[in-house]
Amino acid sequence: DAGVTQSPTHLIKTRGQHVTLRCSPISGHKSVSWYQQVLGQGPQFIFQYYEKEERGRGNFPDRFSARQFPNYSSELNVNALLLGDSALYLCASSLRDLSYEQYFGPGTRLTVT
Amino acid sequence: RKEVEQDPGPFNVPEGATVAFNCTYSNSASQSFFWYRQDCRKEPKLLMSVYSSGNEDGRFTAQLNRASQYISLLIRDSKLSDSATYLCVVKKSGGSYIPTFGRGTSLIVHP
């Protein structure tokens, strides 16, 4: 069975631009969460979606938004990119809500110049 | 005080050594605890959940101390392949179980 997949693997954007990152969960998993990880730190929780509804939100500005589709895949959108948005963006899937164990995808490495 | 704290290390140990890491958490409402392993420039991989009674998986033992609000990970008979960053995760109850990751502890196992 395929694990969590994310695309693209790498991305370079300019300040002020917009970016969309994509994630497909493990087959049968209905929950997707997004994290930002900067070098030397642990992943920081951005959003969780379960059954296409937002179920949790971390301390990130409104420039960050996400959605989940009927097939449980998800997109993370970031508007008006800042240099500080450069990070590894990780997607994790779980069977149901966040009380379940989470499994991470390989991440998208975003560089903002 | 940070919600979840870990000593960043690095812990430098020889092959075959026993090494232990702690992770302290500040919120007594925390309900679920996990250890993840992350190799350089890779995604975190679930190592083990941490149960109230403690649990073991081969050379790895996880413990929870609710009174002192910390979890621990013990690795016995360290292998070169154990070199990685070990992240602890704490989830609060209250409906959403939003997880908080520690910054990770770096382990280097040398020959």
Side-chain angles (χ1 to χ4, degrees):
Chain A
D1 265 349
V4 179
T5 59
Q6 291 187 244
S7 63
T9 53
H10 294 85
L11 205 48
I12 300 175
K13 290 285 191 178
T14 305
R15 269 180 302 178
Q17 285 188 316
H18 159 270
V19 68
T20 298
L21 310 180
R22 296 179 174 82
C23 170
S24 291
I26 293 169
S27 177
H29 284 196
K30 298 184 177 182
S31 173
V32 168
S33 300
W34 287 96
Y35 294 82
Q36 181 195 67
Q37 187 176 26
V38 299
L39 204 58
Q41 299 296 321
Q44 261 201 295
F45 176 79
I46 308 175
F47 287 112
Q48 189 231 354
Y49 278 78
Y50 172 50
E51 290 285 16
K52 301 176 285 293
E53 287 185 13
E54 182 185 301
R55 299 299 183 102
R57 173 185 281 254
N59 190 22
F60 279 81
D62 291 343
R63 299 184 296 108
F64 289 77
S65 64
R67 54 180 175 164
Q68 186 176 34
F69 299 100
N71 66 354
Y72 302 109
S73 68
S74 177
E75 278 182 359
L76 175 71
N77 295 285
V78 187
N79 291 326
L81 285 166
L82 304 174
L83 295 179
D85 294 331
S86 296
L88 179 67
Y89 288 85
L90 294 159
C91 170
S93 82
S94 56
L95 198 57
R96 291 177 59 189
D97 57 42
L98 283 175
S99 65
Y100 287 75
E101 294 165 345
Q102 292 187 284
Y103 299 89
F104 283 86
T108 294
R109 193 163 296 279
L110 172 65
T111 302
V112 182
T113 62
Chain B
R1 184 183 172 189
K2 283 189 179 177
E3 238 180 292
V4 178
E5 293 203 66
Q6 292 185 257
D7 180 347
F11 284 59
N12 243 295
V13 303
E15 268 186 294
T18 295
V19 62
F21 314 128
N22 283 345
C23 166
T24 59
Y25 60 94
S26 61
N27 193 324
S28 58
S30 300
Q31 289 287 349
S32 306
F33 309 88
F34 304 86
W35 285 102
Y36 280 76
R37 168 202 170 116
Q38 187 171 28
D39 294 293
C40 189
R41 301 185 74 80
K42 299 281 193 180
E43 74 273 22
K45 290 192 189 299
L46 180 64
L47 186 62
M48 56 200 303
S49 305
V50 185
Y51 303 123
S52 296
S53 54
N55 47 303
E56 193 173 303
D57 182 3
R59 298 182 293 108
F60 298 83
T61 300
Q63 299 273 4
L64 166 63
N65 186 318
R66 283 196 186 272
S68 301
Q69 294 185 197
Y70 73 88
I71 62 173
S72 64
L73 178 68
L74 180 81
I75 305 175
R76 288 182 299 277
D77 188 24
S78 299
K79 313 288 185 194
L80 295 177
S81 57
D82 293 333
S83 298
T85 295
Y86 291 84
L87 299 159
C88 69
V89 185
V90 174
K91 294 186 185 180
K92 291 188 290 247
S93 62
S96 58
Y97 290 94
I98 289 181
T100 302
F101 279 75
R103 63 176 294 184
T105 297
S106 174
L107 172 66
I108 301 170
V109 182
H110 57 81

